[in-house]
Structures are given as structure tokens and as C-alpha cells.
Amino acid sequence: MPHIELALVGAGDRGTKYTRYATMDGRARLTAVAEPDPRRRDALLAEHPDALSFGDWRELAGRPRLADAVVIATLDADHVEPAVRFAELGYHVLLEKPMAIDLEDCRRIVAAAERSGVMFAVCHVLRYTTYTRQVKDVLDSGRLGEIVTIEHLEPVGWWHHAHSYVRGNWRRTDEATFMLLAKSCHDLDWLTYVMGRRVMRVSSFGGLKHFTAGNRPAGAADRCLDCAVAATCPYDAERIYSPYVGEQRWPLSVLTEDTSEAGLLRALREGPYGRCVYACDNDVVDHQVVNLDFDGGATASFTMTAFSPAALRKTRIFGTHGYLEGDGARLTVTDFVTGQVEVIDTNPPADGHGGGDQGLIAAFLDALDRNDPAAILSDPRESLHSHEIAWAAEESRLTGTVVSL
């Protein structure tokens, strides 16, 4: 019988996936779910009929402890109160990133986790991929010598950016949070992980360049289905979502439960995802660069851009004895002494952030199994530091200053 009991707060895409990964091999079972949307709640309960059902996390928190740990995967703005409360109640906590949309709230969460003594993990899934493990193995072996600088790219993808950050839930800073925290806190955390040092100073530039009313093509309509120029627009919603018709998966599952062609057309006609990208109320950036100055003098540069294919991250690492280049799947390592070049294929899975989602859940369950947080690859203070970097970068972008941490 499974011996790890989990509660879930927030049965959206991320929470449902984490639950499936945790329970699929019998290591854990879902004992309770708290989700205000009855359709999402019922869909998960169909897979876990023995789990108790709650419409609000406060109802779950008001009961005697029902699980060993809680997975919190609500919308970003709703993380802080349940994270603090369940830590106080003695639940071990797996918290979706970002921890919160206010830096002081992030500090509140970390303080609550440390005060209660529970195990606490933020879903920085990039730490848990085979690809990252191979990168770390190369760096930790000393083959590159001392790391001097890293160049890292997150190619969000033109249609993915339009989906999530122009038409979707993360399009507005006041309703969600700023782009770097919402999307790229993964990358800032990853850079600190592979570098193995703390960031001391940050500078950043970027903005909303393209997805504005001023770039709207002549003849464009407010909705793609009515648009005379849709055939030549890279962001035509019907073209983006039509390949997913009939499939109950992201991104179409975000638009509608009815994934038939008729259901898609209805969603594009009535919902937010059929809007012209030049006629939305978005304000988050579509490109940004961040420069990091680490303790010890090493540096890193990070670029996030909407204007790319949706692809895996790309990284170049420059050391005193060698050079590593990676594309999220394959590493090429050059030895400066011998001149030899080694290619390492990490064979990442096609889904789940290259295996990071599964790796995160396995590590969290290992920690619970052994009552030892060593399997969790970031402690609360490390996660807080990567969030502090994001806020420093945004402050730098808005003020034009170099920000010290």
C-alpha cells in the first residue's frame, strides 16, 4: 500500500500533473483536494475517488491533518496564505513557482517553513532534469576549470508568448506578476545552481516592443476569426490552436473543455484566446536581458525573448580550461588542453520540462520517504535568493540602475 499521503491545493494543469506523477507508481496517494472550480475538482476526483473534496483550501486546513504533505499549485497570487498556513499545521510543502508575487510574502513563506521545521520545496523543475545533472557533473568534475561566465537563452516561442503572456493569464503585471518572475525565475534559479555562487549585483534592460496597438497591421480585426490579414499573421489564433483539435492537453485544454473543432471555434469567438495580439490589455515585457555579477567575480548573461521558436533553453559556459555548449538535450564539451571535443546526449523526455517535473516529484517523495530533505536540490533560502534576483532585475530594468543584493 502507498505510504505517502498527499493533499492538493489547486487542481489546474500543474497540480494535476504533479499529482499524476506522484501517484502513478503507487508511492503516494491523494487523500484530499481543494479546488474552487467544480469541473477541475471532479475531473481529478474521477481519478482519485477516495480523496476528500473541498471547495476552498481553508476548509482543508480546518480539518485534522489529512496528509503528510501538501502540493500548492494555485494561481501565483494565491500562494502565500495556504503555504504559510499548511507549514504551520505541520504539512511538508511542495510549492509551485514563483513562491509569491510580493517579495515580502516570499520571505513570510520561507520564515514559516523554517519556523515549523517542515520540508519545503519550490518547483524549480530545471534543477531535476537529466540534462542539468549532466551539466553539473561536467562542471563539478573540474573539466572546464574555473567558470568565468555563462551565456543563457530562454526562447519562449512566438506562439507560446502570445498564448500565455499576451492573451493569457500572465499578460498583466497587476493581475499576475512581471514576466521575469512568472516565466524566467526557473532560469535565474538554474544559473545560480550551476554556478554554485550567490549573485551580488544585477542589471537589466527590456520592454514591451511588439505586442502593442501601434504595431497592429492595417485591416486587422479585434478577433482572429474576423481578420482579413490572418493568413499573413504569425499570431493567428486559429492556426496556432487547430493542430491540437481533439486532444485534451495544453495549450488547447486552457481554452476549452470541448476540444472539438466546434469547441475551439466557440472559444476563439467568445474567449480571450481569440483576441488580436495587438488589441489586448497586456503589459508584460516581450524581451529582456539580465546581467549577473556573482560572488567571486564570475558573470552570467540571460536573455528571454518571445521572438523565437518554442524550444529548449540554450547555454554556453566558458571556463579557464574548457567550454561547454548545450541546447537542452545535447552537450558539447571542448577541452582546451587536448583539443578534444565530447558530445553528450542526455536524451530528455519530450514532455514534463525535459523530465524535470518527474524528477522533482521523485526527489520530494524521496525526501518524505527518508525524512531527510537532502534529496531536495534547493533549500528555502536558495529559492528565496533566486526570487530576490528577479526583483532586483526588474528594479534595474525600471530604474536604469545596477542593483546590489
Side-chain angles (χ1 to χ4, degrees):
M1 293 292 292
H3 58 284
I4 298 175
E5 296 184 335
L6 296 178
L8 174 65
V9 174
D13 181 70
R14 303 303 297 156
T16 298
K17 284 183 177 178
Y18 290 146
T19 300
R20 285 173 180 161
Y21 290 136
T23 59
M24 65 190 303
D25 63 357
R27 289 188 69 187
R29 71 183 184 96
L30 185 69
T31 60
V33 56
E35 165 58 52
D37 185 334
R39 294 172 300 174
R40 292 182 182 275
R41 189 171 66 244
D42 291 347
L44 191 63
L45 290 171
E47 300 179 30
H48 305 276
D50 293 333
L52 297 176
S53 172
F54 301 94
D56 188 282
W57 68 265
R58 295 168 186 82
E59 300 172 18
L60 170 59
R63 297 284 294 273
R65 185 172 160 186
L66 295 174
D68 302 302
V70 61
V71 178
I72 299 175
T74 58
L75 290 175
D76 301 343
D78 301 326
H79 284 178
V80 58
E81 297 302 333
V84 169
R85 184 58 183 147
F86 281 106
E88 291 173 342
L89 292 171
Y91 286 81
H92 302 297
V93 177
L94 181 64
L95 178 62
E96 181 58 301
K97 65 84 193 168
M99 285 196 285
I101 62 171
D102 179 86
L103 183 54
E104 287 306 314
D105 282 339
C106 292
R107 292 172 175 149
R108 279 184 61 201
I109 291 170
V110 169
E114 292 179 339
R115 189 167 56 245
S116 64
V118 299
M119 285 182 279
F120 174 84
V122 177
C123 298
H124 286 306
V125 296
L126 295 186
R127 290 192 180 218
Y128 296 88
T129 65
T130 302
Y131 174 82
T132 298
R133 186 163 62 250
Q134 294 279 12
V135 171
K136 282 285 287 179
D137 286 347
V138 171
L139 271 56
D140 293 347
S141 73
R143 293 174 61 184
L144 302 190
E146 184 179 2
I147 304 307
V148 178
T149 193
I150 300 177
E151 183 182 281
H152 185 64
L153 168 68
E154 182 180 16
V156 177
W158 82 96
W159 67 266
H160 181 189
H161 188 93
H163 169 77
S164 294
Y165 305 102
V166 180
R167 296 170 169 134
N169 289 336
W170 294 273
R171 69 191 184 278
R172 290 186 60 87
T173 303
D174 60 349
E175 293 183 3
T177 188
F178 55 97
M179 179 73 179
L180 199 67
L181 186 65
K183 185 72 176 77
S184 302
C185 65
H186 273 319
D187 300 273
L188 299 177
D189 177 78
W190 190 86
L191 286 166
T192 62
Y193 180 54
V194 299
M195 186 68 83
R197 291 180 177 272
R198 291 178 66 84
V199 170
M200 307 303 291
R201 296 190 303 163
V202 180
S203 67
S204 183
F205 302 91
L208 176 57
K209 180 174 177 59
H210 183 67
F211 297 102
T212 67
N215 290 308
R216 183 171 179 164
D222 287 344
R223 288 195 172 267
C224 294
L225 293 181
D226 304 321
C227 190
V229 299
T232 59
C233 179
Y235 308 101
D236 172 42
E238 187 173 8
R239 186 188 312 115
I240 288 172
Y241 298 113
S242 289
Y244 302 97
V245 165
E247 301 180 12
Q248 289 285 350
R249 68 183 182 96
W250 186 90
L252 187 54
S253 59
V254 177
L255 277 67
T256 176
E257 291 185 345
D258 178 1
T259 60
S260 67
E261 183 176 359
L264 168 61
L265 293 176
R266 187 179 308 109
L268 296 183
R269 175 68 64 193
E270 300 172 359
Y273 293 92
R275 294 180 296 173
C276 173
V277 293
Y278 307 104
C280 292
D281 59 343
N282 56 300
D283 64 8
V284 299
V285 304
D286 54 23
H287 71 293
Q288 188 165 356
V289 294
V290 180
N291 296 310
L292 305 176
D293 183 21
F294 286 87
D295 178 25
T299 58
S301 63
F302 168 64
T303 298
M304 181 285 300
T305 182
F307 308 105
S308 70
L312 299 174
R313 276 87 166 172
K314 304 183 190 308
T315 308
R316 296 172 178 173
I317 302 178
F318 304 85
T320 55
H321 286 187
Y323 165 77
L324 181 150
E325 184 164 348
D327 63 3
R330 179 176 295 180
L331 308 176
T332 302
V333 182
T334 303
D335 188 306
F336 293 167
V337 175
T338 65
Q340 291 184 328
V341 176
E342 180 187 5
V343 177
I344 304 170
D345 195 337
T346 66
N347 297 308
D351 63 351
H353 290 96
D357 292 354
Q358 300 94 317
L360 165 73
I361 295 302
F364 188 64
L365 295 182
D366 285 344
L368 297 179
D369 252 337
R370 304 165 188 165
N371 195 30
D372 181 358
I376 299 170
L377 297 180
S378 57
D379 63 35
R381 290 285 160 180
E382 283 184 89
S383 293
L384 178 59
H385 181 58
S386 66
H387 285 64
E388 289 172 333
I389 297 168
W391 261 283
E394 186 68 356
E395 179 183 347
S396 173
R397 185 184 74 84
L398 293 173
T399 63
T401 60
V402 175
V403 177
S404 296
L405 277 73

Short mmCIF file of all heavy atoms in Angstrom, two decimals, residues 75-109:
data_model
loop_
_atom_site.label_atom_id
_atom_site.label_comp_id
_atom_site.label_asym_id
_atom_site.label_seq_id
_atom_site.Cartn_x
_atom_site.Cartn_y
_atom_site.Cartn_z
N LEU A 75 -3.09 29.74 -8.49
CA LEU A 75 -2.52 30.87 -9.22
C LEU A 75 -1.48 31.56 -8.35
O LEU A 75 -1.56 31.55 -7.12
CB LEU A 75 -3.61 31.84 -9.64
CG LEU A 75 -4.57 31.35 -10.73
CD1 LEU A 75 -5.67 32.37 -10.96
CD2 LEU A 75 -3.84 31.06 -12.03
N ASP A 76 -0.51 32.20 -8.99
CA ASP A 76 0.65 32.75 -8.28
C ASP A 76 0.25 33.68 -7.12
O ASP A 76 0.85 33.64 -6.04
CB ASP A 76 1.53 33.53 -9.25
CG ASP A 76 2.04 32.68 -10.40
OD1 ASP A 76 1.99 31.44 -10.29
OD2 ASP A 76 2.47 33.26 -11.42
N ALA A 77 -0.77 34.51 -7.36
CA ALA A 77 -1.16 35.49 -6.36
C ALA A 77 -1.79 34.85 -5.12
O ALA A 77 -1.92 35.52 -4.08
CB ALA A 77 -2.14 36.50 -6.97
N ASP A 78 -2.15 33.57 -5.22
CA ASP A 78 -2.84 32.90 -4.12
C ASP A 78 -1.97 31.90 -3.38
O ASP A 78 -2.47 31.02 -2.68
CB ASP A 78 -4.09 32.18 -4.67
CG ASP A 78 -5.06 33.13 -5.34
OD1 ASP A 78 -5.16 34.28 -4.87
OD2 ASP A 78 -5.71 32.73 -6.33
N HIS A 79 -0.64 32.01 -3.51
CA HIS A 79 0.26 31.04 -2.88
C HIS A 79 0.48 31.29 -1.39
O HIS A 79 0.58 30.35 -0.60
CB HIS A 79 1.63 31.06 -3.56
CG HIS A 79 1.67 30.38 -4.88
ND1 HIS A 79 2.80 30.34 -5.67
CD2 HIS A 79 0.71 29.72 -5.58
CE1 HIS A 79 2.54 29.68 -6.78
NE2 HIS A 79 1.28 29.31 -6.76
N VAL A 80 0.60 32.56 -1.01
CA VAL A 80 1.21 32.86 0.28
C VAL A 80 0.40 32.35 1.47
O VAL A 80 0.95 31.70 2.37
CB VAL A 80 1.50 34.37 0.42
CG1 VAL A 80 0.25 35.21 0.26
CG2 VAL A 80 2.20 34.67 1.72
N GLU A 81 -0.90 32.60 1.51
CA GLU A 81 -1.68 32.22 2.69
C GLU A 81 -1.73 30.71 2.90
O GLU A 81 -1.48 30.24 4.01
CB GLU A 81 -3.08 32.81 2.60
CG GLU A 81 -3.11 34.34 2.60
CD GLU A 81 -2.44 34.95 3.83
OE1 GLU A 81 -2.42 34.29 4.88
OE2 GLU A 81 -1.94 36.08 3.72
N PRO A 82 -2.04 29.91 1.85
CA PRO A 82 -2.01 28.46 2.10
C PRO A 82 -0.62 27.93 2.41
O PRO A 82 -0.48 27.02 3.24
CB PRO A 82 -2.56 27.85 0.81
CG PRO A 82 -2.46 28.92 -0.22
CD PRO A 82 -2.56 30.21 0.51
N ALA A 83 0.43 28.48 1.78
CA ALA A 83 1.78 27.99 2.05
C ALA A 83 2.14 28.22 3.52
O ALA A 83 2.68 27.31 4.20
CB ALA A 83 2.78 28.68 1.14
N VAL A 84 1.86 29.40 4.03
CA VAL A 84 2.16 29.71 5.43
C VAL A 84 1.32 28.84 6.37
O VAL A 84 1.84 28.25 7.33
CB VAL A 84 1.93 31.20 5.72
CG1 VAL A 84 1.96 31.48 7.22
CG2 VAL A 84 2.96 32.05 4.99
N ARG A 85 0.04 28.75 6.08
CA ARG A 85 -0.86 28.03 6.99
C ARG A 85 -0.55 26.54 7.05
O ARG A 85 -0.49 25.95 8.14
CB ARG A 85 -2.32 28.24 6.58
CG ARG A 85 -3.33 27.60 7.53
CD ARG A 85 -3.16 28.14 8.93
NE ARG A 85 -4.05 27.49 9.89
CZ ARG A 85 -3.74 27.27 11.15
NH1 ARG A 85 -2.55 27.63 11.62
NH2 ARG A 85 -4.61 26.69 11.96
N PHE A 86 -0.33 25.90 5.89
CA PHE A 86 -0.08 24.46 5.92
C PHE A 86 1.28 24.14 6.53
O PHE A 86 1.44 23.10 7.18
CB PHE A 86 -0.21 23.88 4.51
CG PHE A 86 -1.64 23.68 4.09
CD1 PHE A 86 -2.24 24.54 3.17
CD2 PHE A 86 -2.41 22.66 4.63
CE1 PHE A 86 -3.57 24.38 2.79
CE2 PHE A 86 -3.74 22.49 4.26
CZ PHE A 86 -4.32 23.36 3.35
N ALA A 87 2.25 25.03 6.36
CA ALA A 87 3.52 24.84 7.06
C ALA A 87 3.30 24.90 8.57
O ALA A 87 3.83 24.08 9.33
CB ALA A 87 4.54 25.89 6.62
N GLU A 88 2.50 25.85 9.02
CA GLU A 88 2.20 25.97 10.44
C GLU A 88 1.49 24.73 10.98
O GLU A 88 1.65 24.36 12.14
CB GLU A 88 1.35 27.20 10.69
CG GLU A 88 2.07 28.53 10.46
CD GLU A 88 1.15 29.73 10.54
OE1 GLU A 88 -0.10 29.55 10.42
OE2 GLU A 88 1.66 30.86 10.72
N LEU A 89 0.71 24.09 10.12
CA LEU A 89 -0.03 22.89 10.52
C LEU A 89 0.82 21.63 10.48
O LEU A 89 0.34 20.55 10.83
CB LEU A 89 -1.26 22.71 9.62
CG LEU A 89 -2.36 23.76 9.79
CD1 LEU A 89 -3.41 23.60 8.69
CD2 LEU A 89 -3.00 23.65 11.18
N GLY A 90 2.07 21.76 10.02
CA GLY A 90 2.98 20.61 10.01
C GLY A 90 3.01 19.83 8.72
O GLY A 90 3.64 18.76 8.66
N TYR A 91 2.34 20.31 7.69
CA TYR A 91 2.43 19.66 6.39
C TYR A 91 3.78 20.00 5.75
O TYR A 91 4.21 21.17 5.76
CB TYR A 91 1.34 20.17 5.45
CG TYR A 91 -0.06 19.70 5.71
CD1 TYR A 91 -0.86 20.28 6.69
CD2 TYR A 91 -0.62 18.69 4.93
CE1 TYR A 91 -2.16 19.87 6.91
CE2 TYR A 91 -1.93 18.27 5.12
CZ TYR A 91 -2.69 18.86 6.11
OH TYR A 91 -3.99 18.45 6.32
N HIS A 92 4.45 19.02 5.18
CA HIS A 92 5.56 19.31 4.29
C HIS A 92 4.97 19.96 3.03
O HIS A 92 3.85 19.63 2.62
CB HIS A 92 6.33 18.04 3.94
CG HIS A 92 6.86 17.33 5.15
ND1 HIS A 92 7.79 17.89 5.99
CD2 HIS A 92 6.57 16.10 5.66
CE1 HIS A 92 8.06 17.05 6.97
NE2 HIS A 92 7.33 15.96 6.81
N VAL A 93 5.70 20.87 2.41
CA VAL A 93 5.12 21.72 1.37
C VAL A 93 5.91 21.64 0.06
O VAL A 93 7.14 21.82 0.06
CB VAL A 93 5.07 23.19 1.83
CG1 VAL A 93 4.52 24.09 0.72
CG2 VAL A 93 4.21 23.33 3.10
N LEU A 94 5.21 21.35 -1.00
CA LEU A 94 5.73 21.49 -2.36
C LEU A 94 4.97 22.64 -3.01
O LEU A 94 3.76 22.55 -3.20
CB LEU A 94 5.53 20.20 -3.17
CG LEU A 94 6.07 20.21 -4.60
CD1 LEU A 94 7.59 20.36 -4.62
CD2 LEU A 94 5.67 18.95 -5.36
N LEU A 95 5.68 23.73 -3.32
CA LEU A 95 5.04 24.97 -3.74
C LEU A 95 5.43 25.30 -5.18
O LEU A 95 6.62 25.37 -5.51
CB LEU A 95 5.46 26.11 -2.81
CG LEU A 95 4.93 27.50 -3.12
CD1 LEU A 95 3.40 27.54 -3.04
CD2 LEU A 95 5.54 28.52 -2.17
N GLU A 96 4.43 25.52 -6.01
CA GLU A 96 4.71 25.92 -7.39
C GLU A 96 5.42 27.26 -7.42
O GLU A 96 5.23 28.11 -6.54
CB GLU A 96 3.38 25.99 -8.17
CG GLU A 96 3.52 26.37 -9.64
CD GLU A 96 4.40 25.45 -10.47
OE1 GLU A 96 5.58 25.30 -10.14
OE2 GLU A 96 3.90 24.88 -11.46
N LYS A 97 6.24 27.45 -8.44
CA LYS A 97 6.94 28.74 -8.59
C LYS A 97 6.04 29.71 -9.34
O LYS A 97 5.15 29.28 -10.09
CB LYS A 97 8.28 28.54 -9.30
CG LYS A 97 8.17 28.04 -10.77
CD LYS A 97 7.93 29.17 -11.75
CE LYS A 97 7.52 28.68 -13.10
NZ LYS A 97 7.02 29.76 -13.99
N PRO A 98 6.25 31.03 -9.17
CA PRO A 98 7.06 31.64 -8.13
C PRO A 98 6.39 31.47 -6.78
O PRO A 98 5.19 31.27 -6.69
CB PRO A 98 7.11 33.10 -8.56
CG PRO A 98 5.82 33.33 -9.29
CD PRO A 98 5.57 32.04 -10.02
N MET A 99 7.19 31.60 -5.73
CA MET A 99 6.64 31.42 -4.38
C MET A 99 5.48 32.37 -4.13
O MET A 99 4.46 31.99 -3.55
CB MET A 99 7.73 31.66 -3.33
CG MET A 99 8.70 30.52 -3.21
SD MET A 99 9.66 30.65 -1.68
CE MET A 99 10.79 31.96 -2.11
N ALA A 100 5.64 33.62 -4.52
CA ALA A 100 4.61 34.65 -4.33
C ALA A 100 4.92 35.79 -5.28
O ALA A 100 5.99 35.83 -5.91
CB ALA A 100 4.58 35.12 -2.88
N ILE A 101 3.99 36.72 -5.39
CA ILE A 101 4.19 37.85 -6.31
C ILE A 101 4.64 39.11 -5.58
O ILE A 101 4.73 40.18 -6.18
CB ILE A 101 2.92 38.12 -7.14
CG1 ILE A 101 1.74 38.50 -6.24
CG2 ILE A 101 2.58 36.91 -7.99
CD1 ILE A 101 0.53 38.99 -7.02
N ASP A 102 4.92 38.98 -4.30
CA ASP A 102 5.46 40.07 -3.50
C ASP A 102 6.66 39.51 -2.73
O ASP A 102 6.59 38.43 -2.14
CB ASP A 102 4.41 40.59 -2.52
CG ASP A 102 4.94 41.71 -1.64
OD1 ASP A 102 4.88 42.87 -2.07
OD2 ASP A 102 5.42 41.40 -0.53
N LEU A 103 7.78 40.23 -2.76
CA LEU A 103 9.00 39.72 -2.16
C LEU A 103 8.85 39.50 -0.67
O LEU A 103 9.34 38.50 -0.12
CB LEU A 103 10.17 40.67 -2.45
CG LEU A 103 11.54 40.23 -1.94
CD1 LEU A 103 11.89 38.83 -2.43
CD2 LEU A 103 12.60 41.24 -2.37
N GLU A 104 8.15 40.40 0.01
CA GLU A 104 7.95 40.21 1.45
C GLU A 104 7.13 38.97 1.74
O GLU A 104 7.32 38.30 2.75
CB GLU A 104 7.31 41.45 2.07
CG GLU A 104 8.26 42.63 2.19
CD GLU A 104 9.55 42.27 2.93
OE1 GLU A 104 9.46 41.61 4.01
OE2 GLU A 104 10.63 42.62 2.45
N ASP A 105 6.18 38.64 0.84
CA ASP A 105 5.41 37.41 1.01
C ASP A 105 6.29 36.18 0.83
O ASP A 105 6.10 35.16 1.51
CB ASP A 105 4.24 37.38 0.03
CG ASP A 105 3.08 38.26 0.48
OD1 ASP A 105 3.00 38.56 1.68
OD2 ASP A 105 2.26 38.64 -0.38
N CYS A 106 7.25 36.24 -0.09
CA CYS A 106 8.21 35.14 -0.24
C CYS A 106 8.96 34.93 1.07
O CYS A 106 9.17 33.80 1.52
CB CYS A 106 9.19 35.43 -1.36
SG CYS A 106 8.49 35.44 -3.03
N ARG A 107 9.38 36.03 1.66
CA ARG A 107 10.10 35.93 2.94
C ARG A 107 9.21 35.38 4.04
O ARG A 107 9.68 34.62 4.91
CB ARG A 107 10.66 37.31 3.30
CG ARG A 107 11.77 37.76 2.35
CD ARG A 107 12.20 39.19 2.58
NE ARG A 107 13.33 39.53 1.71
CZ ARG A 107 13.57 40.74 1.23
NH1 ARG A 107 12.76 41.75 1.53
NH2 ARG A 107 14.62 40.95 0.46
N ARG A 108 7.93 35.74 4.03
CA ARG A 108 6.97 35.19 5.01
C ARG A 108 6.88 33.67 4.88
O ARG A 108 6.86 32.95 5.89
CB ARG A 108 5.58 35.78 4.80
CG ARG A 108 5.33 37.15 5.38
CD ARG A 108 3.87 37.52 5.17
NE ARG A 108 2.96 36.59 5.83
CZ ARG A 108 1.67 36.43 5.48
NH1 ARG A 108 1.15 37.14 4.48
NH2 ARG A 108 0.91 35.59 6.14
N ILE A 109 6.82 33.20 3.64
CA ILE A 109 6.70 31.76 3.41
C ILE A 109 7.94 31.03 3.90
O ILE A 109 7.85 30.00 4.59
CB ILE A 109 6.47 31.49 1.90
CG1 ILE A 109 5.09 31.99 1.47
CG2 ILE A 109 6.60 30.00 1.59
CD1 ILE A 109 4.87 32.00 -0.03
#
